Amino acid sequence: MTTAPDVVRSAYAQLVVTDLDRARWFWGDMLGFHVQYDDNSLLCLRGTDELTHHSLVLRKGETAALDHISYRVRTPEDVDRAERYFTALGLPVRRVPKDSGTPGVGDAVRVIDPLGFPVEFFHDIERAERLIQRYDLRRGAEIARLDHFNICTPDIPAAYDHYKALGFGCSETIEGDEHELYAAWMYRKQTVHDVAFTAGAGPQLHHVGVATHESHQVLRTADLFGSLRHEHHIERGPGRHGVSNAFYLYLRDPDGHRVEIYTSDYYTGDPDHETYRWNVHDDRRRDFWGNAVIESWYKEASPVLDLDGRPQPVTGPVLDESAVQVGADGLGIVDPGRQDG
Ligand code: 4SX
Ligand code: FE2
Ligand code: CA
């Protein structure tokens, strides 16, 4: 068995957008990402707390898609380990030397993982000026940092097995009565997740999750979109998740890419941290207040590219969580302790 690379954290996502000016407005002016690099074909963005070059890259292209997700690994040798690991799995692997890939990133390896996703592993990245206390530069949602990727894949157990083998822990799951897996949240850094899986046609990108410090920033984001008559960008929330306990808001960017504004999940770093399992019939699992999840959230996602920039074909899901009925009438579980009439 080849040794898996030691992954530190989810580091950045590179998205293809069709209009950089509109993307600059959405991600920069509205979400408050700091522009670290802009050459009119590529934008590198980072949150107020991030000390490395970027956590989001927007590349101008013809069709909106995910170019790749990227994980930082612990040492330069872990980049070589990633190359050997995915080569041994018989998957497409490509070295991307410094200065030939994404600005700011050193030597990297890009692969198509067993789930069909374009994934990069790197160690070296340019450091960036500390903006943590530049309150004068904050605007919009005041995004602090990237938190996670959420990906659609038809086979959740296969996704779980792949990330388990890469050394990821599992913080929470959604399961059926026979423990069939509908969704799972997995981490390397000490939070609820670096990556989560949504059962759906895949490989597709479901969303990028970005963190604020406080729930008022999530509410203010929704208010800003409303005030500017851009409420159509709001897809789901604000609300409190059951899974993760985070406060959330989902938006769609001008190309339809979904982003989650996310705050206040919990620490998972103890070595004996246990997986918390939600039943798919528990109406609090995805919104702790029981608010329904809009259909588009389950059904729509961004296509992903292969290593040559062509769209990857998708396969339909095995389980469809959106079709699960909660309670006899589908409207919610009746409190078993409640006496009607
Ligand atoms: O909808 S869920 O409560 O299951 C959920 C979705 C929890 C955490 C997330 O980051 C997410 O995207
Ligand atoms: Fe999320
Ligand atoms: Ca809406």
Side-chain angles (χ1 to χ4, degrees):
M1 259 246 354
T2 47
T3 312
D6 183 352
V7 174
V8 175
R9 60 178 173 95
S10 47
Y12 78 93
Q14 183 158 327
L15 303 176
V16 181
V17 299
T18 57
D19 184 332
L20 271 185
D21 291 331
R22 285 171 28 132
R24 217 179 271 111
W25 165 77
F26 181 88
W27 297 92
D29 298 348
M30 296 300 282
L31 299 199
F33 270 97
H34 175 78
V35 179
Q36 184 69 17
Y37 175 92
D38 184 352
D39 70 4
N40 285 313
S41 68
L42 198 86
L43 269 179
C44 296
L45 306 172
R46 66 185 168 105
T48 60
D49 284 15
E50 288 172 320
L51 300 170
T52 51
H53 191 264
H54 57 257
S55 59
L56 184 70
V57 178
L58 305 174
R59 171 169 77 74
K60 191 189 158 27
E62 289 300 303
T63 319
L66 170 70
D67 191 284
H68 59 277
I69 56 176
S70 185
Y71 293 101
R72 189 164 194 202
V73 295
R74 194 157 309 274
T75 67
E77 292 70 45
D78 285 300
V79 177
D80 303 331
R81 276 190 197 103
E83 180 178 23
R84 286 196 297 269
Y85 185 83
F86 288 91
T87 302
L89 292 177
L91 294 162
V93 173
R94 196 167 293 174
R95 284 304 295 213
V96 183
K98 179 176 162 53
D99 297 328
S100 62
T102 302
V105 177
D107 290 336
V109 161
R110 289 189 194 164
V111 310
I112 298 297
D113 78 3
L115 317 172
F117 285 89
V119 182
E120 180 185 81
F121 298 88
F122 73 89
H123 170 74
D124 288 318
I125 183 165
E126 270 177 35
R127 307 217 42 100
E129 185 196 345
R130 180 181 150 98
L131 297 178
I132 291 172
Q133 288 169 324
R134 289 298 306 272
Y135 288 95
D136 54 311
L137 298 182
R138 292 198 186 189
R139 52 191 177 147
E142 303 184 2
I143 297 305
R145 58 178 177 80
L146 172 77
D147 188 79
H148 60 267
F149 311 126
N150 189 302
I151 59 179
C152 293
T153 180
D155 187 346
I156 306 293
Y160 178 93
D161 290 346
H162 168 59
Y163 274 97
K164 188 85 196 161
L166 273 179
F168 283 59
C170 181
S171 56
E172 306 202 25
T173 62
I174 294 175
E175 303 182 6
D177 294 336
E178 310 300 324
H179 294 291
E180 60 282 27
L181 263 189
Y182 281 85
W185 282 257
M186 299 187 78
Y187 62 94
R188 284 294 296 171
K189 71 177 176 339
Q190 303 183 343
T191 63
V192 168
H193 59 322
D194 288 289
V195 66
F197 321 124
T198 301
Q204 293 191 96
L205 176 72
H206 190 275
H207 65 267
V208 171
V210 296
T212 62
H213 284 284
E214 298 177 37
S215 53
H216 71 79
Q217 287 149 327
V218 177
L219 289 171
R220 176 165 168 76
T221 307
D223 282 337
L224 283 174
F225 278 92
S227 294
L228 296 174
R229 297 307 314 248
H230 283 291
E231 72 286 353
H232 52 277
H233 288 280
I234 298 174
E235 185 185 37
R236 177 185 163 201
R240 165 86 63 193
H241 283 310
V243 172
S244 81
N245 193 47
F247 202 74
Y248 72 87
L249 171 72
Y250 294 93
L251 302 165
R252 305 292 289 272
D253 89 345
D255 280 294
H257 295 304
R258 183 181 292 106
V259 57
E260 176 183 24
I261 319 294
Y262 179 93
T263 192
S264 309
D265 63 352
Y266 57 88
Y267 169 76
T268 57
D270 270 29
D272 51 359
H273 188 85
E274 279 176 29
T275 305
Y276 189 83
R277 299 170 193 283
W278 290 83
N279 184 280
V280 73
H281 298 288
D282 188 334
D283 218 0
R284 300 169 306 169
R285 71 196 186 286
R286 288 197 178 274
D287 182 285
F288 196 58
W289 309 325
N291 284 323
V293 176
I294 189 171
E295 187 79 359
S296 63
W297 189 90
Y298 280 115
K299 295 288 160 69
E300 295 174 13
S302 300
V304 311
L305 304 181
D306 67 15
L307 295 183
D308 296 311
R310 290 179 303 241
Q312 289 269 69
V314 299
T315 310
V318 179
L319 293 175
D320 179 3
E321 185 184 331
S322 71
V324 172
Q325 297 278 296
V326 178
D329 56 4
L331 295 177
I333 288 174
V334 175
D335 176 358
R338 194 175 93 194
Q339 300 291 316
D340 278 313

